[in-house]
Amino acid sequence: MSEIRQDLTTNEWVIFASERAKRPHDFAKQAKEMPPDFSENCPFCPGNEDRTPPEVLAYRSGGKANDSSWWVRVIPNKFAALNPSGTIERKIEDGFFRKMDGVGHHEVLIESPRHSLYIPYMEDHQVEEIILALRERYRILRQDPTVRVIVIFKNHGSAAGTSLEHPHCQIVATPIVPQSLRRRLAVATRYYDDNGGCIYCDMMEMERKNGVRVIEDTDEFIVLHPFASRSPFETWILPTRHSASFARIEIEEAKALGKVLRRTLAGIFNILGNPDFNLVIHTAPIKDEEEDYFHWYMRLIPRVTTQAGFEIGSGIFINTALPEETAASIREAEGLAPA
Amino acid sequence: MSEIRQDLTTNEWVIFASERAKRPHDFAKQAKEMPPDFSENCPFCPGNEDRTPPEVLAYRSGGKANDSSWWVRVIPNKFAALNPSGTIERKIEDGFFRKMDGVGHHEVLIESPRHSLYIPYMEDHQVEEIILALRERYRILRQDPTVRVIVIFKNHGSAAGTSLEHPHCQIVATPIVPQSLRRRLAVATRYYDDNGGCIYCDMMEMERKNGVRVIEDTDEFIVLHPFASRSPFETWILPTRHSASFARIEIEEAKALGKVLRRTLAGIFNILGNPDFNLVIHTAPIKDEEEDYFHWYMRLIPRVTTQAGFEIGSGIFINTALPEETAASIREAEGLAPA
């Protein structure tokens, strides 16, 4: 029989469709051919720095700004969705519709000079440096008084919405708090008021006790496939220390996250064969970074299924694989002990 | 400069990214090759009725149940997401997580015996009969006391989430009210209390006055590209008569909708060349079918863009085409007078 589960952090429902159930390995695809290490036409490859806007941050030893001696580089997005001019004033059109300027920031973090160096193949310290660079840019962008929320994400592969092969993340600083975040905050606040604690902390505790959906449980981070995962192999990486904002990650935690993120992606690549995926960081609005009730986390969504009319019409997702089974398949492939 | 617009029916924000702006015709693709009129292996083609569960409704003259003399046929989905056994009782797992049985109904409406007969190429009366058949199944399914909401939708093409080429719609009767519908109802209720009228009726009135986003304005339906469309060529078809539920559509309205829907899809095919698309009906929960504050409508989403990490992480969509421009391009191609 199918089962409907509720995501307690959003109150959204997910249908687990037993008639359509697939085994975890059914989602594996022929791994795509690896790209070359260098691509002459790629604006993110070293030597092509003049094809991007000037950098706003780079990690290099010696060398000078915008030369090719960097190993992590952050630039404004040439095709920015938001730009740092305008105001946050709401305007009413025709006495009815509401709009505002597209004010904000949109940056690209180039993860490595090597065109083909996906995170699973990096050294741990390289992933750590990506995380520290994201933190650095977050901390700069949050000072702009028009910014309300900073959204950090990564698109890998065309089904995940990118046309650029060269490994990169994106940072968008928005002048509004998105409704979906407002709802997460409202649900978490209500839980906090009712129970006196953070819903994410309590959820981690339950998952740890139960164990079946946990991939890894380290001192700093827990990796799990959530109870009401929206799609097969959806993975959450949550800091074990309560913290509402990614901005407050400490150096030692960034180091640990580098390791855990690399291993998590390696596990997914191992089973699914370099799948297209999105990675997003859910973090509090800037004014709520110190709240007791919210908890930041990373969410990984391999794009192995397509959102169809039912999802668009209802907001209910249909998942064809149980998180208990996908988690077990990852643990098995990684030789991790069952929790 | 980019602009951020609010969808007043959901309070969601959409970024219109001027740096990434495309002209309406840039979304056109080479039209896909038309499928054959009959496909031996297709379970929906006539003669293959025994490969599907027995029909629950069919329009035929003479003949008998499950023979091949039908012209519209409704069957239970062989790979149903929900099934009519179980209860709506919520269950708590591990004293924390919430779930329930996947109780409900999932049906498929086969639009025509002809494997290749897409709606734009049908006769108006054929589309009308599809709509009446959907209404008939809605009215039956709503009698099941476990059903709360009926979601009607159509997936066309693989990017829209279907693997079956033969033209069909789907009907899912769910035992829960989805959160996304709860939010639409909450926003509409608040508007009703503040303004004493239906937000959708008022929006239609504004759109009619302004004219730039309107494709067609008939006695029974208005067709428009909404002010805060999430993706290029998103189209809403709204009944001009206030009604919260699709279930309450009258015969004359179904006739008019048949015409308008066929023309709308023909216009989209004309410009975009048989694009993959989703069609969904937003309608009130069964217990709210007579409410003054909600208004049912059809929403058409051509799948010309991909949802990426930013949309997943923030719920904010980035649209690369203004509805004013896409609406103008459709009117121009159709030879419709500018509103």
Side-chain angles (χ1 to χ4, degrees), chain A residues 57-75:
Chain A
L57 172 69
Y59 294 162
R60 56 163 59 81
S61 77
K64 59 179 205 306
N66 300 303
D67 76 8
S68 57
S69 65
W70 54 276
W71 60 84
V72 172
R73 185 169 188 251
V74 184
I75 51 172

Side-chain angles (χ1 to χ4, degrees), chain A residues 102-324:
Chain A
V103 57
H105 303 267
H106 190 170
E107 300 183 346
V108 176
L109 180 148
I110 310 169
E111 297 169 10
S112 148
R114 222 174 97 197
H115 190 79
S116 61
L117 191 58
Y118 299 151
I119 289 175
Y121 309 115
M122 287 183 184
E123 304 287 332
D124 286 338
H125 73 88
Q126 292 179 286
V127 192
E128 175 195 338
E129 284 179 314
I130 292 168
I131 291 157
L132 288 175
L134 291 171
R135 184 184 77 159
E136 198 171 336
R137 287 310 302 163
Y138 182 110
R139 289 180 176 182
I140 300 286
L141 292 172
R142 76 186 290 293
Q143 294 169 20
D144 178 339
T146 66
V147 172
R148 292 291 172 273
V149 168
I150 295 175
V151 185
I152 296 172
F153 62 99
K154 177 176 170 62
N155 304 331
H156 175 87
S158 59
T162 188
S163 45
L164 283 167
E165 212 169 44
H166 197 120
H168 63 285
C169 304
Q170 295 182 65
I171 308 166
V172 176
T174 73
I176 42 167
V177 178
Q179 288 298 301
S180 75
L181 180 51
R182 286 264 185 246
R183 289 191 295 267
R184 275 170 217 272
L185 296 169
V187 170
T189 309
R190 173 67 190 271
Y191 183 92
Y192 184 85
D193 287 346
D194 288 354
N195 299 281
C198 162
I199 188 170
Y200 297 89
C201 288
D202 286 0
M203 188 259 286
M204 282 190 274
E205 199 43 47
M206 289 297 161
E207 289 292 10
R208 217 177 254 130
K209 260 192 222 160
N210 178 313
V212 289
R213 286 176 293 271
V214 176
I215 308 284
E216 264 201 277
D217 186 12
T218 71
D219 284 347
E220 296 86 0
F221 289 91
I222 185 165
V223 183
L224 55 85
H225 290 192
F227 177 73
S229 57
R230 287 175 157 207
S231 54
F233 293 93
E234 175 176 343
T235 308
W236 290 15
I237 303 178
L238 301 114
T240 55
R241 175 174 72 86
H242 177 82
S243 168
S245 176
F246 168 73
R248 305 175 82 79
I249 191 173
E250 289 166 9
I251 302 273
E252 284 310 306
E253 289 170 320
K255 219 184 265 291
L257 181 56
K259 284 194 181 67
V260 154
L261 175 59
R262 196 199 56 70
R263 277 201 300 264
T264 301
L265 278 170
I268 291 284
F269 270 51
N270 212 345
I271 297 248
L272 299 179
N274 185 9
D276 295 350
F277 69 85
N278 297 105
L279 194 65
V280 303
I281 296 180
H282 290 280
T283 188
I286 284 164
K287 315 259 183 188
D288 301 312
E289 283 170 358
E290 300 194 41
E291 289 293 358
D292 283 335
Y293 55 77
F294 197 63
H295 201 111
W296 78 270
Y297 64 103
M298 255 190 191
R299 194 162 139 228
L300 165 67
I301 297 130
R303 299 294 286 263
V304 293
T305 53
T306 304
Q307 229 187 85
F310 180 68
E311 283 85 356
I312 294 172
S314 70
I316 301 174
F317 278 68
I318 298 178
N319 193 340
T320 50
L322 288 167
E324 297 80 38

Side-chain angles (χ1 to χ4, degrees), chain B residues 266-319:
Chain B
I268 291 284
F269 270 51
N270 213 345
I271 297 248
L272 298 179
N274 185 10
D276 295 350
F277 69 86
N278 297 105
L279 194 65
V280 303
I281 296 181
H282 290 280
T283 188
I286 284 164
K287 314 259 183 188
D288 301 311
E289 283 169 359
E290 300 193 42
E291 289 293 358
D292 283 335
Y293 56 76
F294 198 62
H295 200 110
W296 77 271
Y297 64 104
M298 254 191 190
R299 192 162 139 229
L300 166 66
I301 296 129
R303 298 293 286 263
V304 293
T305 54
T306 304
Q307 229 186 85
F310 181 69
E311 283 84 356
I312 294 173
S314 70
I316 301 174
F317 279 68
I318 298 178
N319 194 340

Side-chain angles (χ1 to χ4, degrees), chain B residues 256-274:
Chain B
L257 181 55
K259 283 193 181 66
V260 154
L261 176 58
R262 196 199 55 69
R263 277 201 300 264
T264 300
L265 278 171
I268 291 284
F269 270 51
N270 213 345
I271 297 248
L272 298 179
N274 185 10

Side-chain angles (χ1 to χ4, degrees), chain A residues 1-8 10-13 15-20 77-83 85-87 90 93-103 106 151 153-155 158-162 170 172 174-181 183-184 191 199 202-203 206-207 210 213 227 230 278-282 299 301 303 306-310 312-316 318 324, chain B residues 1-8 10-13 15-20 77-83 85-87 90 93-103 106 151 153-155 158-162 170 172 174-181 183-184 191 199 202-203 206-207 210 213 227 230 278-282 299 301 303 306-310 312-316 318 324:
Chain A
M1 195 197 296
S2 292
E3 187 171 281
I4 308 178
R5 295 182 176 189
Q6 193 179 40
D7 179 343
L8 291 182
T10 58
N11 292 341
E12 308 275 1
W13 298 95
I15 297 174
F16 289 85
S18 55
E19 306 285 320
R20 304 173 164 207
N77 192 317
K78 200 169 177 177
F79 304 99
L82 300 173
N83 280 294
S85 64
T87 75
R90 271 59 165 174
E93 193 167 300
D94 295 338
F96 188 74
F97 301 106
R98 189 173 293 132
K99 65 178 191 177
M100 61 185 291
D101 295 340
V103 57
H106 190 170
V151 185
F153 62 99
K154 177 176 170 62
N155 304 331
S158 59
T162 188
Q170 295 182 65
V172 176
T174 73
I176 42 167
V177 178
Q179 288 298 301
S180 75
L181 180 51
R183 289 191 295 267
R184 275 170 217 272
Y191 183 92
I199 188 170
D202 286 0
M203 188 259 286
M206 289 297 161
E207 289 292 10
N210 178 313
R213 286 176 293 271
F227 177 73
R230 287 175 157 207
N278 297 105
L279 194 65
V280 303
I281 296 180
H282 290 280
R299 194 162 139 228
I301 297 130
R303 299 294 286 263
T306 304
Q307 229 187 85
F310 180 68
I312 294 172
S314 70
I316 301 174
I318 298 178
E324 297 80 38
Chain B
M1 194 199 294
S2 292
E3 188 172 281
I4 308 177
R5 295 182 176 188
Q6 194 180 41
D7 178 343
L8 292 182
T10 59
N11 292 340
E12 308 276 1
W13 298 94
I15 297 174
F16 289 84
S18 55
E19 307 285 322
R20 304 174 163 205
N77 192 317
K78 200 170 177 176
F79 304 100
L82 299 173
N83 280 294
S85 64
T87 74
R90 272 60 167 173
E93 193 167 300
D94 295 338
F96 189 73
F97 300 106
R98 189 173 292 132
K99 64 179 191 176
M100 61 185 291
D101 295 340
V103 57
H106 189 170
V151 184
F153 62 99
K154 175 174 171 63
N155 304 330
S158 59
T162 188
Q170 296 182 64
V172 177
T174 73
I176 41 167
V177 178
Q179 288 298 301
S180 75
L181 180 50
R183 290 191 294 268
R184 276 170 216 271
Y191 184 92
I199 188 170
D202 285 0
M203 189 260 285
M206 289 296 161
E207 290 291 10
N210 178 313
R213 286 176 293 271
F227 176 74
R230 286 176 156 205
N278 297 105
L279 194 65
V280 303
I281 296 181
H282 290 280
R299 192 162 139 229
I301 296 129
R303 298 293 286 263
T306 304
Q307 229 186 85
F310 181 69
I312 294 173
S314 70
I316 301 174
I318 298 178
E324 297 79 40

Side-chain angles (χ1 to χ4, degrees), chain B residues 5 207 212-215 223-229 231-236 264 268 300 322-331:
Chain B
R5 295 182 176 188
E207 290 291 10
V212 289
R213 286 176 293 271
V214 176
I215 308 284
V223 183
L224 54 84
H225 290 192
F227 176 74
S229 57
S231 55
F233 293 92
E234 175 176 342
T235 309
W236 291 14
T264 300
I268 291 284
L300 166 66
L322 288 166
E324 297 79 40
E325 293 176 7
T326 53
S329 75
I330 295 268
R331 282 196 308 263

